[in-house]
Amino acid sequence: MNVKNYFLIITLIGMIFLVGGAGATINRTMATAACEACGMEIQKEDVSSFLLVSSDGSEHWGCCPICGMVEAIYYSDSELQGQCFSCGKPIVMNFRDGELSWLDFSGNSEFIRVVLGGSCMTNKLTCSPACSNAIRLTYDWASNVPEKTLQESANIANTKLSSFTIAYRPTKIPLLNYALIGIGISLISVALIALIIQKRKTNNKTTW
């Protein structure tokens, strides 16, 4: 195997590391987000996650109904998209001037509740008494916790707004991803530099 082939192999290995690290980083950025209210990292496709679309079309993420409403109040005119934690039925809340104005829901909106489990991880949105009961029967933490209507929950969120710093929070990238990218770039750079040096040596020998 000649020297050029060795350089090619090193370059290919570097490309594998670089593409792997970059791909993992892009996938993580696309699939995850950080709650703009509390900072908790969430999976965008998780049934507990809330997508907020503000009046300028920008997207923001909340980890639970309360955090989502805090953001909706903060951004004043916005649409908060959520799902029933039990059955996954879409529930869309619209806020105008920082207040809950109307709902986009295919069922009886009077039965929509927020189960307040005491933390972001245990605050859940439900669409019916059956779904609320299903949560209570499934999770120990939900067996004896209060339920609030959407308006009551919005009032709670309004009182919490002053204690939150609403801001974009970038998704944390694992150090392994940075390491893979760094190794890939280093290998490619070393291979290219070594190839250039080898070519110069070959040219000098040819000249002599």
Side-chain angles (χ1 to χ4, degrees), residues 24 32 58 79 112 174 191 198 204:
T32 63
S58 59
E79 179 182 272
I112 297 175
Q198 180 64 28
N204 288 339

Side-chain angles (χ1 to χ4, degrees), residues 15 36 38 57 129 137 149 177 180:
M15 287 295 295
E36 291 193 12
C38 71
L137 293 173
T149 65
N177 291 16
L180 291 174

Side-chain angles (χ1 to χ4, degrees), residues 179-207:
L180 291 174
I181 293 172
I183 292 171
I185 294 174
S186 298
L187 288 174
I188 293 170
S189 300
V190 167
L192 291 176
I193 292 171
L195 181 60
I196 292 171
I197 293 174
Q198 180 64 28
K199 283 186 176 181
R200 287 181 177 177
K201 286 182 179 180
T202 301
N203 291 336
N204 288 339
K205 288 180 181 179
T206 303
T207 303

Side-chain angles (χ1 to χ4, degrees), residues 54-76:
S54 58
S55 58
D56 63 0
S58 59
E59 296 185 350
H60 314 270
W61 290 90
C63 64
C64 75
I66 301 301
C67 281
M69 289 184 179
V70 167
E71 295 175 22
I73 294 169
Y74 175 82
Y75 286 105
S76 187

Side-chain angles (χ1 to χ4, degrees), residues 27-138:
N27 287 338
R28 182 170 177 78
T29 302
M30 295 292 291
T32 63
C35 175
E36 291 193 12
C38 71
M40 188 171 82
E41 194 166 279
I42 56 177
Q43 295 293 319
K44 293 180 179 179
E45 295 299 322
D46 193 297
V47 69
S48 297
S49 301
F50 286 78
L51 171 62
L52 178 80
V53 181
S54 58
S55 58
D56 63 0
S58 59
E59 296 185 350
H60 314 270
W61 290 90
C63 64
C64 75
I66 301 301
C67 281
M69 289 184 179
V70 167
E71 295 175 22
I73 294 169
Y74 175 82
Y75 286 105
S76 187
D77 296 333
S78 56
E79 179 182 272
L80 184 61
Q81 303 172 11
Q83 304 174 62
C84 173
F85 179 70
S86 180
C87 71
K89 196 170 190 177
I91 302 172
V92 179
M93 293 163 269
N94 283 266
F95 284 74
R96 292 293 177 268
D97 297 324
E99 295 185 358
L100 182 62
S101 60
W102 59 279
L103 289 171
D104 183 0
F105 178 63
S106 62
N108 191 337
S109 60
E110 292 182 3
F111 293 136
I112 297 175
R113 294 290 184 270
V114 173
V115 178
L116 294 177
S119 70
C120 290
M121 295 184 66
T122 54
N123 292 332
K124 304 298 180 182
L125 184 65
T126 63
C127 70
S128 68
C131 287
S132 295
N133 289 334
I135 292 175
R136 292 184 184 281
L137 293 173
T138 305

